[in-house]
Amino acid sequence: MAKILMKTPLVEMDGDEMTRIMWKMIKDDLIVPFVDLKTEYFDLGLENRNATDDQVTIDSANATKRLGVAVKCATITPNAARMEEYDLKKMWKSPNGTIRAMLDGTVFRAPILVKGIEPYVRTWKAPITIARHAYGDVYRDVEMRVPGPGRVDLTYTPADGGDPQSVCVHEFAGPGVVEGMHNLDESITGFAHACFSYALETRQDLWFATKDTISKTYDHRFKDVFADLYEAEYREKFEAAGIEYFYTLIDDAVARVMRSEGGFIWACKNYDGDVMSDMVSTAFGSLAMMTSVLVSPHGYWEYEAAHGTVQRHYYKHLKGEKTSTNSVATIFAWSGALRKRGELDGTPDLVRFADALERATIGTIESGKMTGDLARITTLPNPQQLDTEEFILAIADRLQKELA
Ligand code: NAP
Ligand code: MG
């Protein structure tokens, strides 16, 4: 069988730990045998980020700006324990944070539904897609430890030489902490556009929530930008499509989501999206059954898994023990990126390959072959629990038949 040809390379961002192990298996067993794979490779593994002073992360984001489509493996965000474990020069920032700040945009995360894995929430019947704003707030903050009594101010100095404006954050009587965050009208507007367009494209209602009653300027700005844009550009289109835009407070949204039937897009500020996407994906079955794509208003696409590097499984793997780690989200990152590349390049064979890879993956699980996280919760009778590599090989077997 001739391999499927690619025109433009993907930006390939390799990562850490168990997901790095699966990354190689997915390429070797599910992609390279079928596709004449072209990528520009960037090693975002923590050792190489440390060796390059994190330049490799910046280079990979710039390559994405040039080529348009990237696929990213999960990566370690260093903390104090990692500083020691990897003997790091510095506590490097989250690569996702760096890349998202450079590409801007919105992360859409949707659960992958398969027969036999039922949502924990009884009322949920259709997927809930989380649209996470990918710029600013706590992910681009500055922080300071306040060592003792004193005053902290927030000051704006106009670039045109106008009078500075200041507000007092707090008069500290003793030690404490302080944080400064920002966001940009341009980024919030891009986020709102992405959400409204995605809702129209997929014909689903759009929900949005902030805490504007408490955050009367910061969160209120998000509410106003969405409301103004909706009235100016989207209300008529939404009405024609028979879908709704719904705004409420974040705590009310959480309560309503839990008793909903699903089938809508939930637009979240950056932090809410980080937290809620793990809750929603877990409630739909497993963190590993979730697609994640960063859609940039400038036309860049970055596909990734929503989960982390699965450290606990990696340590078992290092000890030579068998692991049963779910590779579905990482496989769907590859299929998503290959499909988008095929659409942009006008190579329908590549699009068909991506579809076949996803069908083979879902079909494998529905036939009863799955990893431990799913075997524990499936309603299918007699599930067969496979180890990490066996599961990927079972998909490869099915994919051969799909493509024959
Ligand atoms: P995690 O890697 O998502 O894993 C947390 C737990 O969830 C695992 O121990 C495992 O549970 C389960 N799990 C997650 N993915 C799974 C999969 N594919 N198959 C089976 N089970 C899965 O989160 P973490 O352990 O908190 O973080 C580890 C590292 O990942 C950290 O260094 C963090 O910085 C990084 N991280 C990276 C990203 C990213 O790059 N996108 C996102 C989040 C975290 P059991 O152990 O119970 O089996
Ligand atoms: Mg997270």
Side-chain angles (χ1 to χ4, degrees):
M1 193 170 56
K3 286 195 190 183
I4 296 159
L5 297 180
M6 287 180 68
K7 276 190 192 161
T8 314
L10 288 176
V11 178
E12 176 184 354
M13 305 172 177
D14 206 346
D16 288 299
E17 300 195 311
M18 203 59 209
T19 38
R20 187 182 181 98
I21 306 284
M22 294 196 292
W23 192 260
K24 182 165 190 316
M25 291 177 184
I26 291 167
K27 280 175 67 180
D28 289 352
D29 298 328
L30 298 178
I31 299 177
V32 171
F34 309 100
V35 178
D36 189 21
L37 183 65
K38 279 190 189 165
T39 72
E40 272 191 29
Y41 179 86
F42 295 86
D43 182 1
L44 268 55
L46 185 50
E47 274 162 16
N48 194 46
R49 275 182 278 147
N50 191 50
T52 61
D53 292 342
D54 210 23
Q55 185 60 38
V56 66
T57 306
I58 292 162
D59 292 346
S60 74
N62 280 325
T64 308
K65 289 184 169 184
R66 181 163 42 83
L67 295 172
V69 186
V71 57
K72 181 180 171 293
C73 182
T75 45
I76 292 170
T77 298
N79 55 15
R82 301 295 198 168
M83 291 287 290
E84 207 169 310
E85 182 182 357
Y86 284 84
D87 192 17
L88 300 180
K89 297 183 216 166
K90 219 176 122 177
M91 205 184 287
W92 306 109
K93 291 216 161 196
S94 153
N96 289 324
T98 304
I99 294 166
R100 285 172 195 157
M102 287 178 68
L103 303 183
D104 201 350
T106 303
V107 178
F108 290 91
R109 290 186 169 170
I112 302 161
L113 299 191
V114 297
K115 286 192 207 86
I117 308 295
E118 306 302 329
Y120 287 110
V121 180
R122 283 196 311 271
T123 52
W124 288 1
K125 296 191 174 67
I128 295 169
T129 301
I130 293 214
R132 173 179 171 189
H133 186 206
Y135 180 85
D137 301 351
V138 66
Y139 304 85
R140 299 287 283 179
D141 71 348
V142 288
E143 306 187 354
M144 205 194 278
R145 178 96 175 78
V146 176
R151 177 186 155 115
V152 177
D153 289 318
L154 201 59
T155 305
Y156 164 63
T157 313
D160 63 8
D163 289 338
Q165 293 173 36
S166 237
V167 287
C168 173
V169 177
H170 194 65
E171 292 269 7
F172 284 83
V177 281
V178 68
E179 173 186 40
M181 297 196 299
H182 78 279
N183 223 302
L184 307 171
D185 281 9
E186 192 192 356
S187 176
I188 303 168
T189 306
F191 170 45
H193 270 302
C195 294
F196 288 128
S197 334
Y198 196 82
L200 278 171
E201 213 175 288
T202 58
R203 288 204 167 236
Q204 299 181 83
D205 290 347
L206 176 68
W207 296 18
F208 182 45
T210 71
K211 195 71 182 174
D212 66 273
T213 46
I214 299 295
S215 175
K216 291 185 197 303
T217 303
Y218 197 105
D219 275 19
H220 215 287
R221 186 75 201 131
F222 282 78
K223 178 185 178 179
D224 288 346
V225 167
F226 269 71
D228 293 350
L229 193 63
Y230 181 65
E231 292 306 329
E233 293 187 34
Y234 290 98
R235 179 182 279 284
E236 278 172 28
K237 291 176 191 156
F238 267 51
E239 283 169 2
I243 58 173
E244 236 181 69
Y245 170 58
F246 172 60
Y247 178 86
T248 186
L249 287 170
I250 185 68
D251 36 358
D252 181 50
V254 170
R256 285 170 188 267
V257 164
M258 293 312 285
R259 55 176 195 263
S260 76
E261 290 193 354
F264 53 88
I265 297 158
W266 183 10
C268 290
K269 289 182 63 205
N270 210 345
Y271 177 83
D272 296 338
D274 187 352
V275 176
M276 291 305 164
S277 67
D278 279 20
M279 186 193 74
V280 169
S281 60
T282 304
F284 269 107
S286 163
L287 264 183
M289 299 297 285
M290 185 99 159
T291 63
S292 180
V293 56
L294 173 78
V295 182
S296 152
H298 317 292
Y300 319 129
W301 306 76
E302 185 219 329
Y303 294 81
E304 53 162 17
H307 59 76
T309 59
V310 214
Q311 179 182 21
R312 206 181 62 84
H313 295 210
Y314 180 61
Y315 288 167
K316 274 177 73 178
H317 170 84
L318 286 182
K319 281 193 270 172
E321 292 171 31
K322 285 271 178 216
T323 59
S324 184
T325 315
N326 188 332
S327 47
V328 171
T330 308
I331 294 170
F332 272 64
W334 275 98
S335 60
L338 290 168
R339 178 185 296 107
K340 180 53 70 182
R341 197 61 272 169
E343 286 169 6
L344 294 176
D345 285 351
T347 47
D349 282 352
L350 200 56
V351 176
R352 276 194 288 273
F353 172 77
D355 294 343
L357 177 55
E358 291 181 1
R359 272 199 311 277
T361 305
I362 288 172
T364 301
I365 298 169
E366 291 183 344
S367 78
K369 295 178 180 172
M370 58 192 82
T371 45
D373 57 324
L374 300 183
R376 278 197 293 278
I377 58 168
T378 184
T379 53
L380 293 176
N382 313 313
Q384 193 185 343
Q385 179 176 322
L386 304 182
D387 70 33
T388 306
E389 183 155 36
E390 285 168 351
F391 178 64
I392 290 171
L393 291 174
I395 297 170
D397 201 39
R398 229 182 149 87
L399 183 57
Q400 291 273 6
K401 290 171 191 140
E402 283 270 353
L403 294 171

